[in-house]
């Protein structure tokens, strides 16, 4: 039912929500990558890095360098 409503699996949806939250944290706060990962529900900064690479094709550090406000 979830996949038919949202067009994705629950796990992928949660990953997308976490990455979006982490993106905002990296843009708008001084939190370290590790702190942002923890705040957004990732098990570790490495897991967050892999999600960023998969969904955004950049690492969290690269993202922060390019898009920080």
């Amino acid at each position: 039912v979830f996949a038919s409503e949202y067009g994705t699996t629950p796990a992928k949806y949660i990953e997308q929500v976490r990455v979006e939250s982490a993106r905002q944290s990296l843009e708008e706060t001084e939190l370290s990558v590790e702190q942002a990962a923890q705040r957004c529900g990732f098990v570790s900064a490495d897991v967050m890095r892999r999600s960023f690479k998969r969904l955004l094709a950049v690492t969290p550090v690269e993202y922060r360098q390019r898009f920080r406000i």
Side-chain angles (χ1 to χ4, degrees):
V1 172
F2 188 94
S4 66
E5 287 291 321
Y6 292 97
T8 190
T9 66
K12 288 181 182 177
Y13 180 82
I14 293 296
E15 181 182 39
Q16 291 167 349
V17 169
R18 287 180 177 158
V19 166
E20 178 58 30
S21 179
R23 285 176 61 225
Q24 289 179 329
S25 290
L26 293 172
E27 288 176 17
E28 300 170 3
T29 72
E30 296 295 325
L31 293 174
S32 69
V33 171
E34 292 78 12
Q35 291 169 323
Q38 183 179 20
R39 179 180 186 190
C40 297
F42 287 100
V43 173
S44 69
D46 187 54
V47 172
M48 184 172 91
R49 183 187 59 76
R50 285 181 279 170
S51 291
F52 263 65
K53 288 292 280 185
R54 183 174 28 261
L55 298 178
L56 305 176
V58 296
T59 67
V61 170
E62 292 168 337
Y63 183 86
R64 177 173 263 171
Q65 289 171 345
R66 291 182 191 175
F67 300 105
R68 186 158 205 180
I69 295 174

